[in-house]
Amino acid sequence: MQNYIEIIKNAILFFPIVAFFITIPYILIQYHKFGSVYYYRSIIVYSFVLYLIVAYFLIIFPLPSKEEVVLLTTPRWQLQPFSFLLDIINKSPLEISDITTYLPTLKSQVFRQAFFNVLLCIPFGIYLHYYFKNSLKKTVVLTFCLSLFFELTQLTGLYFIYPRNYRLFDVDDLILNTTGGLIGYFLGSIILRFLPNRNKIDEIALNQGMKVSFIKRCVAFILDLILFHLLFTITNVFVQRFISSNLTSRIVYVLLLIYYFVIRPTAKNSQTYGQQFLNLKLICITSTANPKWHQILLYYWYFYFFSFGSITFISIAIMYLKEKEIISTNTYTVILLSFIILYLLCALLYFIKRILNKELIFEKLSGLKLKSTIKKTF
């Protein structure tokens, strides 16, 4: 039991690493599909990922040394179905006619091993039924496939890292794991009576997705920056084959900037590529007309200036004054820190106004604002 606890602790410590790599794709998928990242769904999804990590760790750990594995002479597989029943009868104190042997049997190693194999896949069955809405047949098949994956991982010696398997490939494990998934399916039916079902979760997420939150704005802008610079890098590499110069790169950058943030949105439903993926679009604040190109240009011009351009410009100016020794190092530090604090206060004001659903300065000046294009499907 102590070994199991240590393995579970290690799995929990490993979980943040996995969560780090899946978080950005998860956020993008949720915003694309529902327009929001509903916390309740996130709890379910991340707990499911944690469960899979724990289950996998319990299967492969503890890892022996290769020298120990080479010296192993134990059987590599066990292909007789239900042999665990014979083990319980023959290797435990169980006497059917003697009730006093039942508790010692439950504490025996052979019974605990079978029990934990059932227990291992019960959560899997619960998740498949409750959240993924799988049928009984599909739950059984997928649980069997998961168990088979575990057993093949053991049979191949952790994908041939070891010269042979250090754990037994056991057909009984397939039976017991699948039984656990089956039990989990029926437990999922009970859970559905007390917790919101998947349709309700989707409905709440879509309702939240009708609003353009501060975080969604940030995600859309960051995605656009990534896509734009990826487009620029590819285009610039191609152009530099024919005309290689810094001036050419700057021209390409400006032209692509105009195309990406002005020409493309004007021609394609007032959306950049990032906004289209996240179901956002620019609309006129005071009319139902489509935004004009000059409005879109003003929107991004003001947005960039008030969001990033101002701090970049002033920082460069202060650094120039310092390099020319027009101001001292201490003065430079005080001015820069003061400006950063002021900028952070402005960012806080921006965040507060966004929460209060107030128009922002670049929205007022351009006459445009972002709107969610998520459509309710319920």
Side-chain angles (χ1 to χ4, degrees), residues 49-61:
V49 172
L50 176 59
Y51 156 72
L52 290 177
I53 294 172
V54 170
Y56 186 74
F57 273 43
L58 288 170
I59 291 298
I60 67 171
F61 287 107

Side-chain angles (χ1 to χ4, degrees), residues 95-192:
E95 293 289 343
I96 301 297
S97 58
D98 187 358
I99 195 172
T100 60
T101 64
Y102 289 1
L103 183 59
T105 299
L106 295 178
K107 294 180 178 180
S108 66
Q109 177 63 30
V110 287
F111 179 85
R112 282 190 298 171
Q113 184 175 347
F115 174 75
F116 282 128
N117 273 308
V118 173
L119 188 64
L120 181 68
C121 288
I122 288 178
F124 191 66
I126 294 174
Y127 280 108
L128 290 183
H129 188 197
Y130 169 63
Y131 180 73
F132 295 101
K133 300 193 297 185
N134 289 149
S135 64
L136 175 61
K137 180 180 179 180
K138 193 171 183 180
T139 299
V140 171
V141 171
L142 290 177
T143 308
F144 177 83
C145 290
L146 178 68
S147 178
L148 182 61
F149 167 71
F150 288 156
E151 293 304 308
L152 291 177
T153 298
Q154 295 175 338
L155 181 64
T156 58
L158 198 55
Y159 321 116
F160 305 103
I161 293 176
Y162 289 95
R164 57 155 286 172
N165 54 321
Y166 59 91
R167 286 194 175 183
L168 183 70
F169 176 93
D170 195 339
V171 70
D172 280 346
D173 289 350
L174 295 173
I175 297 171
L176 293 168
N177 292 159
T178 306
T179 301
L182 184 62
I183 295 171
Y185 176 88
F186 291 110
L187 290 177
S189 300
I190 298 173
I191 290 174
L192 280 169

Side-chain angles (χ1 to χ4, degrees), residues 33-53:
K33 192 172 181 179
F34 301 102
S36 67
V37 181
Y38 182 35
Y39 78 94
Y40 188 81
R41 187 199 307 279
S42 300
I43 291 173
I44 295 173
V45 171
Y46 279 87
S47 65
F48 180 62
V49 172
L50 176 59
Y51 156 72
L52 290 177
I53 294 172

Side-chain angles (χ1 to χ4, degrees), residues 260-283:
Y260 191 98
F261 288 101
V262 180
I263 296 176
R264 202 275 176 180
T266 303
K268 293 291 184 179
N269 201 29
S270 306
Q271 293 175 307
T272 61
Y273 291 108
Q275 290 168 359
Q276 183 177 358
F277 183 80
L278 296 181
N279 296 292
L280 295 170
K281 65 176 292 187
L282 285 172
I283 62 168

Side-chain angles (χ1 to χ4, degrees), residues 264-314:
R264 202 275 176 180
T266 303
K268 293 291 184 179
N269 201 29
S270 306
Q271 293 175 307
T272 61
Y273 291 108
Q275 290 168 359
Q276 183 177 358
F277 183 80
L278 296 181
N279 296 292
L280 295 170
K281 65 176 292 187
L282 285 172
I283 62 168
C284 294
I285 296 175
T286 58
S287 70
T288 58
N290 292 326
K292 305 298 183 183
W293 70 267
H294 61 275
Q295 289 179 292
I296 297 175
L297 176 62
L298 285 174
Y299 179 89
Y300 285 111
W301 175 268
Y302 288 126
F303 175 78
Y304 177 78
F305 178 79
F306 287 108
S307 299
F308 300 100
S310 57
I311 190 171
T312 303
F313 175 78
I314 295 177

Side-chain angles (χ1 to χ4, degrees), residues 352-367:
I352 293 173
K353 292 189 72 175
R354 191 68 263 157
I355 291 177
L356 298 176
N357 202 27
K358 300 292 185 179
E359 289 180 8
L360 302 170
I361 187 168
F362 53 85
E363 292 176 334
K364 290 181 179 180
L365 293 172
S366 65

